[in-house]
Amino acid sequence: METFTAPRAFVKNPHYHNQRRESLQKLGLSSIDPPIIDLVRGFSKLQYCFTLQSCYGHFLYPGNRDPVNLEPMPLADGIESIDYRIAYLAICIEDSIPGKELLDNLRDVPSVDPGYIQFGSTNWFWERQLNSYALQVEPTRHMTRDKCRIDYIEALHVEKVRNQFFKQLDALLRLRQGN
């Protein structure tokens, strides 16, 4: 599945408020990875956006093939390659002044590590929800895929970037809640 394209410009969406209400009614926090439940819950409280989908990012390797593995990468010899399922946050943003400010804030998040964090739109989400955007953590060379195989050393780096990414989003959320 292609997960990333260049960010699209806002378009008018007269159905935004109804779509937001319906999406929030369907939002099942039990389906969200535990480390990011508070983040998703926090974004849902902002009136000018709502979460479409999210993933904490999962590392699968010999000895741990659990597709929803939340364990930190082990410090171990003998692991050569890792199957990485990307960390991401996909949200819909209202075409409004606070929505545009949030969009500008989100554009800055990749500065944490531009080689591993991308911001854009996804065709799959946009077709279902106008003004949808995604931030994802993945090596740039794999940015159009939702999973990839990377070596152990790079996986350690991706894990570090993923953790910084969610800390950055949490700080951004706290800033936006103050507005």
Side-chain angles (χ1 to χ4, degrees):
M1 173 173 77
E2 185 169 295
T3 60
F4 180 82
T5 62
R8 295 185 184 188
F10 272 126
V11 297
K12 294 293 178 197
N13 181 3
H15 306 291
Y16 171 82
H17 293 286
N18 288 336
Q19 292 167 339
R20 182 179 187 279
R21 186 180 64 252
E22 288 173 15
S23 181
L24 291 177
Q25 287 173 347
K26 294 177 187 174
L27 180 64
L29 293 178
S30 64
S31 66
I32 298 168
D33 292 327
I36 58 174
I37 287 176
D38 289 340
L39 184 72
V40 171
R41 185 182 292 131
F43 273 104
S44 73
K45 292 178 182 176
L46 301 176
Q47 295 300 307
Y48 46 89
C49 72
F50 58 93
T51 302
L52 298 169
Q53 239 180 51
S54 62
C55 183
Y56 184 61
H58 306 284
F59 299 90
L60 287 69
Y61 48 87
N64 195 339
R65 302 299 301 168
D66 180 0
V68 292
N69 171 32
L70 298 173
E71 297 298 317
M73 287 288 300
L75 296 177
D77 291 333
I79 300 175
E80 293 180 17
S81 66
I82 308 292
D83 291 325
Y84 172 61
R85 311 262 171 98
I86 68 169
Y88 68 94
L89 177 68
I91 63 173
C92 177
I93 303 175
E94 180 183 35
D95 183 8
S96 65
I97 291 172
K100 289 175 181 174
E101 291 170 350
L102 174 62
L103 185 67
D104 286 342
N105 295 149
L106 294 173
R107 288 180 195 277
D108 292 338
V109 173
S111 67
V112 170
D113 191 328
Y116 288 85
I117 300 175
Q118 301 88 38
F119 172 75
S121 296
T122 63
N123 291 334
W124 189 87
F125 286 122
W126 195 278
E127 290 166 3
R128 290 156 182 78
Q129 184 64 59
L130 298 173
N131 302 328
S132 58
Y133 300 90
L135 279 158
Q136 65 182 30
V137 177
E138 184 165 35
T140 300
R141 68 186 181 280
H142 298 296
M143 70 184 189
T144 60
R145 300 168 58 198
D146 59 0
K147 59 186 173 184
C148 64
R149 180 163 285 186
I150 53 179
D151 68 37
Y152 175 76
I153 298 299
E154 186 172 31
L156 291 173
H157 180 74
V158 169
E159 179 182 48
K160 178 182 171 187
V161 172
R162 179 206 57 195
N163 295 344
Q164 292 171 325
F165 167 77
F166 283 117
K167 285 179 186 174
Q168 181 81 12
L169 286 176
D170 186 59
L172 171 59
L173 175 61
R174 283 186 272 118
L175 172 74
R176 299 304 309 168
Q177 288 172 330
N179 288 346

